[in-house]
Amino acid sequence: MEKKLLQKMKELRAAKERERRPRETCGTLLRELSRKKIVTITQQLMENLQQYEDIPVELFDKSPTEYSTHQKSFVLMLQLHDSSVYRYIKNHKLPFPSLRMLRSWLKSTNDGPGINASVLQLLLNKRLANPYEYTCACLVIGALSLRQHAVYDVCQKKVVGLIDYGNGPEAYSQNVATQTLIFMLVGINGHWKAPIAYFLTNSLTPGAQMELVLHALHELMDNGFDIKSITLDGCETNIQMCTMLGCDFSDPAHLQTHFTIPGTTKSCYVVIDVYKEAGLLCNLIETYESVKSNKGTIRWQHIKNLKVLNMKSGIFAGTKSLQDTHFLSEVEASPAAEILSDSAAKTLLRLHDLRYENFSESDATAFFLQTISKLLDVFCSRSPRIKGYKGAVDNSNLQHILGFLSEVKAYLLSLTTVEGTMLYDYPRKTCIICFLISIQSFCEMLPRLLTHQKYVLTYKFSQDFVKNFFNDVHAPGELGYELTASQVKHGMRKWLIRCGINIDQDNETAKNSMEFLTLYEERSLPIIFQQHLPSPFEDNSIELPDHNLISETLNFLLNNPLVYFAGWVVRKAMTEVACDECRCALVSDTLQVNFLDAHHLLQLKENGRLVIPSSGTVRIILSSERKLRHMMNASSKQYSVNLLRLEHEVLLDIGSCDVLGLSKHMAQSQCGIDNHHFYILRLLVSVFYRIRQQHFAKLEQWELFKCKIKQKFTKTMHCKC
């Protein structure tokens, strides 16, 4: 008994001594590594990890699934801001989790920051159904400064507006986010785009941005996507990030614009959006006033003289851009897209040929404007039907485009100052380097892409998709103001709904076949929350029987656009219909030929991506158009054109006839108000009315305007003799 008591006392004294000894924390571990110079730990890294200094090191001996929120935050912040320190501690000190585990902490299933798992799952389902269109893609990356604004979200019970990288840790820092970084995936073979991730950051370093890009690339590759390139703007942070990834921009004549994704053999190219760089190039030439090239001397004074001449006479160059006041204001502001236009170049050449005063030797300036204008057209081809520099790149014009890009590259490399210094060696050389990077990437990438596809649309490698996202997030009239984090989150929520993701039902991906649309739903209340009162009008309206308005040909021409228009109405209505059977009733699997003999336009435009409306949907739309025209008739001006009366008229026309083929399903109640048949009918009429509202409102305004015009030559003039 005494031996057991002595042993117990000895254990207690040892435990007491252990409690007295200072425990090793994350802060002491990092300072020890810095003191021994085992790894390089910067002051900025210590400041970013300052709030995690008190975490005991022994807590990391547990399984990563048992990590607390602060432990996850510490590991993620350490890996993002300095991956070399993370790898050393993982290999020699602590059992940190793998990169795949870190990516799972960065994932999000709702509209919050992080890599959105719902979008990836939906894209994966699309890729399995159509591998050709949904495998090859481009990753477009854009950043936007935010207004420092943090609010408390009552629904999710968290503060929105702080630095946030994903769904794992609830909060990384108490600092307010000043920038958002969004990743948009754009299909190269198909016509689709989807936001796969966004992050709320504050002073993001090139290394941290590189790690976020690599996490996104690895996640996409794990899901079977083939990422051909990443598109960025030409800021210094992005240039340094590309250098850290493995690109080499030190020699402008021999650029390495691709890098190998770590852990794989896949190469990924870097494309710079050059539209902003075009304005910076104009600023650069304006600063130096004169720049030498292999075609002569480029003088900014020629552009100024062209502006002055146009203001005086306005008769030169039958071009709209030179006679537009917007063009003149842009010339004064220098960074203008209108300056780098083919019309301005032709005007300078015409003035040079006419030997006009102050325009001698302007052929070199005209050649510069024309060359950059053609280069911008090559970088923004949108249609395979257009020929020339604005058309798609295919096997028939590939060699011509590659030859033109090589000529432009040699031309940009020949630009020098008056003193003879190369322009790409000056401090403001970024715009020249960005042009050369994009040219080199396209020269190497286009031949490889054309080996397995018919043509390439180069606008898919631009930042227009991210810019459109930010423009749509802005409220009307606030395009020039900075966004807040809550506005970005709300905009992401709208995009997820647009992509067919239902984030209101336990964050599960909605099972539907919606395509990725290109327009947002209007900011209005859902139809189910709008009151549908009985019509207050008496049924005494004079209505003509159904007949051809003028002739069979005119009736045929009017019905063809309506059948095509019905597909767009279905796209709009799909975002407000939650019933799968009702969704199937709105569309048809194959193109039918019994749309009242008005299917020819839809058949002509059908290329595999249009929504084909069902025969019942077409009948409802035709009835809505017919009733709307009767309401707008001059003989019925006593009745106002409104949604409630239009619904009433269409309900009287169709009634309970099962035009959608719902059979027994049509009797089921929708939200305790309407059955599914009348709910779908009201919904289609409402969407049709909202789209057509602008047209007949314009007609009514024109009628009112005509009444206010002063009538001349109709009043008798009395004169005294």
Side-chain angles (χ1 to χ4, degrees):
M1 186 68 181
E2 293 181 358
K3 292 182 178 180
K4 292 183 179 180
L5 183 60
L6 292 175
Q7 181 66 22
K8 191 65 175 178
M9 293 177 62
K10 184 177 180 181
E11 293 178 358
L12 290 176
R13 283 195 298 269
K16 189 175 181 180
E17 290 295 331
R18 287 196 301 270
E19 289 294 332
R20 289 180 180 177
R21 292 196 300 267
R23 294 186 299 174
E24 187 177 13
T25 62
C26 294
T28 57
L29 174 62
L30 293 176
R31 282 190 287 270
E32 180 184 359
L33 294 177
S34 178
R35 181 177 57 84
K36 294 181 178 180
K37 298 182 179 181
I38 298 177
V39 291
T40 302
I41 299 179
T42 62
Q43 184 65 26
Q44 184 178 5
L45 178 62
M46 294 298 297
E47 293 177 358
N48 292 329
L49 302 177
Q50 183 178 3
Q51 59 179 335
Y52 310 109
E53 287 186 350
D54 298 333
I55 300 178
V57 172
E58 59 191 25
L59 295 180
F60 291 96
D61 294 334
K62 299 185 296 184
S63 173
T65 57
E66 301 177 0
Y67 279 8
S68 64
T69 299
H70 289 283
Q71 286 179 267
K72 293 180 181 179
S73 302
F74 169 74
V75 175
L76 273 174
M77 294 290 284
L78 179 62
Q79 195 274 334
L80 290 177
H81 288 83
D82 200 329
S83 58
S84 61
V85 178
Y86 166 82
R87 287 193 298 269
Y88 178 82
I89 296 178
K90 182 179 184 301
N91 296 331
H92 300 88
K93 295 292 183 180
L94 299 176
F96 278 169
S98 62
L99 294 179
R100 188 180 296 272
M101 177 67 72
L102 295 185
R103 286 202 300 274
S104 66
W105 294 347
L106 289 174
K107 288 184 180 180
S108 172
T109 55
N110 51 21
D111 54 355
I115 302 175
N116 199 287
S118 299
V119 176
L120 292 178
Q121 182 61 38
L122 184 60
L123 287 174
L124 182 59
N125 296 337
K126 295 280 187 179
R127 189 183 65 82
L128 295 177
N130 191 350
Y132 176 74
E133 292 189 1
Y134 289 91
T135 299
C136 186
C138 168
L139 184 62
V140 182
I141 304 172
L144 183 70
S145 61
L146 298 177
R147 178 160 52 93
Q148 296 188 15
H149 179 73
V151 295
Y152 182 75
D153 191 344
V154 181
C155 298
Q156 298 185 0
K157 297 181 180 180
K158 61 183 295 187
V159 179
V160 178
L162 302 180
I163 296 176
D164 196 353
Y165 292 100
N167 195 31
E170 298 178 356
Y172 293 84
S173 174
Q174 298 302 320
N175 298 328
V176 181
T178 60
Q179 187 185 49
T180 178
L181 188 69
I182 184 170
F183 294 168
M184 186 82 69
L185 195 64
V186 181
I188 297 179
N189 296 332
H191 297 275
W192 58 270
K193 60 181 179 293
I196 62 167
Y198 80 99
F199 306 96
L200 301 178
T201 65
N202 188 348
S203 302
L204 197 64
T205 61
Q209 182 172 326
M210 179 192 68
E211 296 298 332
L212 290 177
V213 171
L214 290 179
H215 280 306
L217 291 175
H218 281 292
E219 187 66 28
L220 291 171
M221 293 188 63
D222 290 345
N223 286 276
F225 294 97
D226 187 8
I227 309 302
K228 297 297 183 180
S229 66
I230 59 174
T231 301
L232 310 159
D233 57 12
C235 66
E236 188 63 27
T237 301
N238 292 334
I239 298 298
Q240 294 180 11
M241 182 197 71
C242 294
T243 304
M244 297 173 66
L245 285 171
C247 299
D248 186 7
F249 304 147
S250 58
D251 187 5
H254 303 87
L255 296 174
Q256 180 182 341
T257 60
H258 65 276
F259 62 92
T260 302
I261 301 176
T264 65
T265 58
K266 296 281 187 177
S267 295
C268 186
Y269 288 90
V270 175
V271 178
I272 305 295
D273 195 322
V274 296
Y275 287 95
K276 181 181 177 181
E277 310 306 322
L280 296 178
L281 182 60
C282 290
N283 284 341
L284 183 63
I285 296 178
E286 183 184 17
T287 302
Y288 296 127
E289 294 185 353
S290 296
V291 174
K292 292 184 178 181
S293 67
N294 54 8
K295 300 295 182 180
T297 303
I298 305 170
R299 292 184 174 86
W300 187 258
Q301 188 63 35
H302 291 151
I303 300 177
K304 290 184 177 180
N305 294 338
L306 184 63
K307 168 226 163 182
V308 174
L309 182 62
N310 186 76
M311 292 179 63
K312 289 181 178 180
S313 59
I315 60 175
F316 291 95
T319 60
K320 182 178 179 180
S321 60
L322 285 176
Q323 297 176 359
D324 193 356
T325 56
H326 176 66
F327 169 74
L328 300 180
S329 62
E330 292 292 346
V331 171
E332 295 176 355
S334 295
E338 285 81 359
I339 296 176
L340 301 172
S341 63
D342 188 63
S343 58
K346 290 180 179 179
T347 304
L348 286 177
L349 288 175
R350 186 179 298 121
L351 294 173
H352 176 266
D353 295 339
L354 294 175
R355 298 181 181 179
Y356 206 84
E357 185 180 2
N358 298 329
F359 288 95
S360 59
E361 299 181 357
S362 62
D363 52 343
T365 307
F367 181 82
F368 167 77
L369 299 180
Q370 195 172 30
T371 301
I372 302 300
S373 175
K374 291 180 180 179
L375 181 62
L376 296 179
D377 291 341
V378 171
F379 287 161
C380 190
S381 60
R382 294 177 177 269
S383 175
R385 299 180 179 89
I386 301 177
K387 303 299 180 181
Y389 292 100
K390 294 184 179 180
V393 181
D394 53 19
N395 290 317
S396 62
N397 63 353
L398 175 61
Q399 297 302 324
H400 175 69
I401 295 297
L402 293 180
F404 171 74
L405 292 178
S406 300
E407 293 176 1
V408 176
K409 179 180 178 180
Y411 178 75
L412 293 175
L413 290 174
S414 68
L415 298 179
T416 62
T417 61
V418 179
E419 292 80 7
T421 305
M422 305 304 298
L423 211 58
Y424 56 79
D425 287 335
Y426 260 63
R428 297 172 62 179
K429 62 181 179 180
T430 307
C431 56
I432 302 291
I433 299 298
C434 291
F435 271 105
L436 296 175
I437 291 173
S438 296
I439 291 174
Q440 184 66 28
S441 295
F442 277 112
C443 287
E444 298 180 8
M445 188 168 48
L446 288 176
R448 298 185 179 183
L449 292 176
L450 290 176
T451 57
H452 58 272
Q453 60 188 82
K454 295 181 179 179
Y455 58 85
V456 177
L457 301 178
T458 55
Y459 90 98
K460 293 179 179 291
F461 301 92
S462 67
Q463 279 193 317
D464 291 348
F465 306 99
V466 174
K467 295 175 183 177
N468 292 338
F469 171 81
F470 290 137
N471 292 337
D472 291 339
V473 172
H474 277 93
E478 297 182 359
L479 197 58
Y481 298 92
E482 289 185 341
L483 292 173
T484 62
S486 58
Q487 288 178 316
V488 175
K489 182 179 178 181
H490 178 67
M492 179 61 66
R493 182 185 182 89
K494 293 172 62 178
W495 272 68
L496 295 180
I497 295 175
R498 233 180 59 186
C499 292
I501 296 176
N502 192 349
I503 59 178
D504 293 330
Q505 298 181 357
D506 298 331
N507 296 328
E508 292 183 358
T509 304
K511 296 181 180 180
N512 55 61
S513 58
M514 290 180 59
E515 291 292 336
F516 298 103
L517 310 182
T518 56
L519 293 177
Y520 282 126
E521 183 64 24
E522 297 179 5
R523 297 185 177 183
S524 60
L525 291 175
I527 304 299
I528 59 176
F529 296 106
Q530 299 179 3
Q531 293 184 346
H532 302 285
L533 302 177
S535 175
F537 302 98
E538 298 180 2
D539 191 12
N540 57 0
S541 59
I542 301 175
E543 183 174 329
L544 299 176
D546 296 340
H547 66 289
N548 296 336
L549 298 179
I550 296 179
S551 64
E552 187 67 27
T553 303
L554 180 57
N555 194 54
F556 172 79
L557 293 177
L558 290 176
N559 288 342
N560 262 277
L562 284 176
V563 174
Y564 178 76
F565 186 65
W568 177 245
V569 175
V570 171
R571 282 182 182 266
K572 289 280 189 177
M574 278 291 189
T575 60
E576 301 182 17
V577 179
C579 177
D580 293 336
E581 294 187 22
C582 294
R583 284 173 173 243
C584 295
L586 293 177
V587 296
S588 176
D589 296 334
T590 58
L591 184 62
Q592 303 180 16
V593 295
N594 58 349
F595 288 157
L596 303 180
D597 295 331
H599 64 281
H600 303 85
L601 179 60
L602 185 63
Q603 186 178 13
L604 180 64
K605 303 289 285 187
E606 168 61 17
N607 55 1
R609 291 181 292 272
L610 294 181
V611 174
I612 303 175
S614 62
S615 57
T617 303
V618 173
R619 180 175 174 181
I620 295 174
I621 297 302
L622 292 178
S623 177
S624 302
E625 176 67 17
R626 186 170 59 254
K627 299 300 179 182
L628 186 61
R629 287 182 177 273
H630 282 305
M631 294 170 62
M632 295 174 60
N633 197 324
S635 62
S636 59
K637 283 295 182 181
Q638 53 180 335
Y639 303 115
S640 59
V641 179
N642 55 68
L643 175 60
L644 189 62
R645 179 162 180 80
L646 181 60
E647 289 181 356
H648 175 70
E649 296 294 339
V650 177
L651 286 172
L652 289 178
D653 181 32
I654 297 179
S656 59
C657 180
D658 188 13
V659 295
L660 296 173
L662 297 176
S663 62
K664 297 181 180 180
H665 180 70
M666 68 179 293
Q668 297 183 7
S669 175
Q670 173 68 25
C671 299
I673 301 175
D674 268 340
N675 59 32
H676 285 227
H677 169 74
F678 289 109
Y679 168 71
I680 294 297
L681 195 148
R682 290 177 183 271
L683 175 62
L684 293 177
V685 174
S686 176
V687 174
F688 176 79
Y689 175 83
R690 280 183 287 171
I691 298 176
R692 294 280 283 132
Q693 187 177 14
Q694 295 183 356
H695 173 67
F696 61 75
K698 181 179 179 181
L699 295 180
E700 290 185 0
Q701 290 179 359
W702 174 245
E703 292 293 334
L704 295 175
F705 176 72
K706 289 194 299 183
C707 297
K708 300 297 183 181
I709 296 178
K710 183 177 180 180
Q711 300 294 327
K712 297 182 179 180
F713 308 112
T714 58
K715 183 177 180 181
T716 304
M717 304 298 294
H718 299 278
C719 302
K720 291 184 179 181
C721 298

